[in-house]
Amino acid sequence: MKLSIDKKLFNKAYWVILNAFKRFVVIYGGSNSSKSWSNYQALMIWIMTQPAGSNAIVYRKEGSTLRNSVFENLKLVAQQFKSSHLFNFYYSGDKREVICKRNGNKIIMSGLDDPDKMKSIVGITRVVLEEADAFTQADFMELERRFRGKSGIQFFVIFNPVSEHHWIKKLL
């Protein structure tokens, strides 16, 4: 799918997210730096332009925060791109996802407040850890273990500045 999206809609500091191909992509900045917004923009472009079967999962530490943060922002990005008609948005019970109508690609949203939510993860090629500084190192290691050995999977780790002793700074 060919997209024409005005580069002016993006924060220049995070424009590089669109061309990030490493396994671990670290995105950090202060409050209101637009790191999350820029990631959601890139994520929506990504699910529209990737081949079928390219799915993402966005984790937050607490699942109860997904609706008012991740879900609503993904809807706003679709509106900004004037592409809402290309997506189905679901947020009901355990079905928390955005589906691209053109290729069936999905963005799934989940909290890590219940370890069972990490089970049976299939078809994911991008993992986003939103507010990653709220996760423990054990959370991160378990997620990485579950996706180890699968080629092409990327982890986008998004967080506010943290102490030099925080596990994120030590590991990534």
Side-chain angles (χ1 to χ4, degrees), residues 3 17-18 20-21 39-51 53-57 81 100 103 105-107 123-127 152 154 156:
L3 281 179
I17 297 171
L18 291 171
F21 300 106
N39 178 65
Y40 298 141
Q41 289 175 314
L43 196 53
M44 292 296 272
I45 291 170
W46 184 80
I47 69 163
M48 286 190 281
T49 58
Q50 292 300 300
S54 300
N55 301 307
I57 188 161
F81 290 166
C100 180
N103 56 20
N105 289 343
K106 298 177 187 177
I107 301 171
I124 300 295
T125 53
R126 185 169 284 190
V127 178
Q154 285 186 290
F156 282 69

Side-chain angles (χ1 to χ4, degrees), residues 74-90:
L74 291 171
K75 286 172 43 178
L76 288 171
V77 167
Q79 291 170 7
Q80 180 189 48
F81 290 166
K82 297 180 178 26
S83 63
S84 296
H85 63 284
L86 298 175
F87 299 97
N88 288 322
F89 294 87
Y90 301 102

Side-chain angles (χ1 to χ4, degrees), residues 5-165:
I5 296 183
D6 189 349
K7 193 174 181 177
K8 291 181 215 164
L9 296 174
F10 289 83
N11 179 318
K12 291 177 189 174
Y14 298 111
W15 178 254
V16 296
I17 297 171
L18 291 171
N19 296 310
F21 300 106
K22 294 186 176 189
R23 180 166 171 89
F24 296 104
V25 179
V26 176
I27 306 165
Y28 67 93
S31 179
N32 291 320
S33 64
S34 85
K35 61 191 173 299
S36 293
W37 180 259
S38 298
N39 178 65
Y40 298 141
Q41 289 175 314
L43 196 53
M44 292 296 272
I45 291 170
W46 184 80
I47 69 163
M48 286 190 281
T49 58
Q50 292 300 300
S54 300
N55 301 307
I57 188 161
V58 179
Y59 285 110
R60 285 185 69 107
K61 182 68 174 176
E62 299 292 329
S64 63
T65 65
L66 290 165
R67 182 177 204 112
N68 293 326
S69 57
V70 178
F71 184 72
E72 291 301 325
N73 278 310
L74 291 171
K75 286 172 43 178
L76 288 171
V77 167
Q79 291 170 7
Q80 180 189 48
F81 290 166
K82 297 180 178 26
S83 63
S84 296
H85 63 284
L86 298 175
F87 299 97
N88 288 322
F89 294 87
Y90 301 102
Y91 199 98
S92 177
D94 284 341
K95 188 168 184 162
R96 300 171 180 168
E97 57 191 27
V98 176
I99 301 173
C100 180
K101 294 177 185 178
R102 296 192 121 156
N103 56 20
N105 289 343
K106 298 177 187 177
I107 301 171
I108 300 163
M109 293 155 270
S110 183
L112 280 188
D113 40 344
D114 178 0
D116 287 339
K117 292 179 181 177
M118 280 195 271
K119 294 180 180 174
S120 303
I121 303 170
V122 294
I124 300 295
T125 53
R126 185 169 284 190
V127 178
V128 177
L129 301 180
E130 180 65 47
E131 303 289 348
D133 47 308
F135 293 84
T136 66
Q137 184 174 349
D139 293 332
F140 178 78
M141 299 305 286
E142 181 61 19
L143 282 169
E144 187 184 19
R145 184 186 72 78
R146 291 192 181 266
F147 292 104
R148 188 176 294 138
K150 298 178 182 179
S151 65
I153 290 184
Q154 285 186 290
F155 285 83
F156 282 69
V157 181
I158 304 167
F159 61 97
N160 292 319
V162 294
S163 158
E164 290 299 318
H165 305 290

